[in-house]
Amino acid sequence: MTGRFAAGSDLMSVAQALSLLEARLSPAVGTEETGLHHALGRILAEDLVSGVNVPPHDNSAVDGWAFRRADLPADGILPVVGRVAAGHPLEGPLPQGGAVRIFTGAPMPTGADTVAMQEDCKDLGGSVALPAKLAEGDNARAAGEDISKGSVVLHAGTRLRPQELGVAAATGRSSLKVFRPLRAAVFSTGDEIRNPGTELPPGCIFDTNRFTATGLLRALGAEVTDLGILPDRFEVIRDALAEAAASHQLILTSGGVSVGDEDHVKPAVLAQGSLDFWRLAIKPGRPVALGEVKGTPFVGLPGNPVAVMVTFMAIARPMVLRLMGAAQTDLPRYPVEAGFAFRHKPGRREYLRARLAHMDGRLVAAKFPSDGSGVLTSMTWSDGLVDIPEDRGDIAPGEMVEFLSYADMMR
């Protein structure tokens, strides 16, 4: 059975996959108003339009003396007629032919248009000698110079960082309308899988992918329910999927969706929804399973630990962010120098685990020695992935390549 994720049978590029996801997914979460102290990492649900100018008044950019440039005499000396500090404006306009002592951020007196820096002036006690080289407007900041009233300061879909919270506060906002966190369910299947910290019988392995996937989802701001390890029984998996679909907006697992006798995830999904396999032109990785369980999106990532992180980065991450209401899902790409040789056959996009180092002022990527997709320690050794596009051939040392950082992948 096919659903919203149905695609062709040919190998699909990562770019094509992302275009399909963008076209077929929309935010799956509601909105709420939250205070700035609790808005970090949340996604803005509406444009933030400023109701004020920032700064709200003309002000001084430096400590010094404020005056009207046209009043400056040939000898540069003006009488000091007042003092202005931040939060304490001058009462009334600046008297003609006078100067006032002023401090950084203090409001400019009405009539003043220029500020001389204190290090360029000489305090004469009751008067001040000002430099003649100043032009009208020097060292003065205009009201609304940073943000003008009525302008869009932050756009809907923005993931809120500390700097966005500061901008919101500058406009006088104490709370923001944001999307609610995505509720995601994660589980593993397999009679051979065991939880870390428990006994490991012969022929069994500790579960790793569930913890990796849960960490990746939580790093993006999702609220994750860990459904644990489900036994290889169709009825148990079917019922767990149905229960998860009723209270979550995404279900994610890794492995267990092939056609073996003990792979029950696929029929359990099909029993109450749809399932499609996307054959991605990607390495490491294999077909990614995308579907729905009672209308809730389902993602089945590959079973190999490295392939889990790579396909999460390439497909699941933008999918999660899209469901959460984010407008920007692309990862930043950094040009670095290849510190390795690599043979690459065009046709598949390949991601190489790499570590960055500074060498003679250059940023150079060193490649992990093994390309095996089961070597999870390669992900802790590396800082990110070198992205080799489908149409690129062999890589020689010294050539420029694009680098994707793990730090960016988790935000």
Side-chain angles (χ1 to χ4, degrees), residues 190-196 198-201 204-208 210-211 229:
D191 292 340
E192 81 284 6
I193 305 296
R194 294 291 185 272
N195 271 316
T198 63
E199 184 181 353
L200 191 65
C204 295
I205 58 173
F206 288 124
D207 192 359
T208 60
R210 189 170 104 249
F211 296 93
I229 302 170

Side-chain angles (χ1 to χ4, degrees), residues 334-338 356 363-365 386 399-403:
Y334 307 101
V336 300
E337 183 179 315
L356 298 183
L363 200 56
V364 180
V386 167
E399 291 186 359
M400 298 303 293
V401 292
E402 290 188 332
F403 180 80

